[in-house]
Amino acid sequence: AVGGRSAPGDDSQGTIGVSLASPASPVAVGQATTATIVVQNRGGVVDQLTISVVDLPASWVRISRPTLSLVAGARDEVTIVIQPPRSPESTAGEHPFSVAVVSGDNGREVRVLGTCTILPFDAFNATLQQQGGGYHVAVENQGNSTMTYALSVTSDADNITSRLDRESVELAPGGTIAVPLAVA
């Protein structure tokens, strides 16, 4: 995570000032973290500002006040809650994003950059399936980081032999594979 680092932004006419404090620590999927923006109206009139988060899925983000009315010279803070869901789409690692603030007075947009770090989680599913006259082992990575899975087959029966096409597979988040299994 950026650890509270601010990323200031400004429009060319100096009518809007924006700074962003990114989330201070990594977030686990399903949990929430916050970023804070400070918006200042440097213009001479009351301005109705619209705030949005760009580069993160909309379902991950809640903005405490997506519209803000500021008198000339006023400043205010807005909290942004980021809550990535527990799914492979919430990939582990750093996720850069930007916050856009648009002036209702002159239509200008100011963007500031931030980063949210998502912690990894492991989850998988493996099943033995029969298809036609053959068998395969289906493996699905339900976690949010690339994983390597070791595969092996054991049997309590002495008269059955089996062999997998592969002894390990590497899968990206959400990835699936069917590994053929020979049984005699």
Side-chain angles (χ1 to χ4, degrees):
V2 173
R5 207 170 63 188
S6 280
D10 252 327
D11 71 0
S12 60
Q13 302 299 313
T15 58
I16 304 172
V18 183
S19 64
L20 169 68
S22 290
S25 58
V27 63
V29 291
Q31 301 297 312
T33 188
T34 59
T36 305
I37 64 166
V38 176
V39 183
Q40 183 175 15
N41 180 355
R42 295 180 179 158
V45 298
V46 174
D47 202 347
Q48 182 78 19
L49 305 168
T50 304
I51 301 163
S52 61
V53 175
V54 185
D55 307 319
L56 291 177
S59 62
W60 294 17
V61 178
R62 287 187 320 272
I63 302 171
S64 64
R65 290 178 290 156
T67 57
L68 190 62
S69 184
L70 289 179
V71 297
R75 63 186 299 142
D76 207 344
E77 285 188 6
V78 175
T79 301
I80 298 168
V81 178
I82 301 169
Q83 187 171 11
R86 185 174 174 86
S87 73
E89 289 76 33
S90 302
T91 55
E94 287 192 358
H95 291 260
F97 65 92
S98 56
V99 177
V101 179
V102 178
S103 167
D105 177 51
N106 58 30
R108 287 193 172 88
E109 178 181 279
V110 177
R111 288 195 182 195
V112 288
L113 304 176
T115 302
C116 175
T117 301
I118 299 176
L119 295 171
F121 78 94
D122 298 331
F124 74 95
N125 185 40
T127 58
L128 176 62
Q129 299 177 351
Q130 182 179 14
Q131 188 172 26
Y135 295 92
H136 64 268
V137 176
V139 182
E140 178 184 13
N141 180 354
Q142 298 171 335
N144 69 345
S145 59
T146 299
M147 296 294 295
T148 301
Y149 300 98
L151 306 175
S152 65
V153 178
T154 59
S155 173
D156 292 339
D158 292 334
N159 61 343
I160 296 178
T161 60
S162 55
R163 184 181 56 76
L164 286 163
D165 257 16
R166 299 178 171 183
E167 292 184 1
S168 70
V169 294
E170 182 177 271
L171 293 174
T176 61
I177 192 168
V179 178
L181 171 65
V183 179

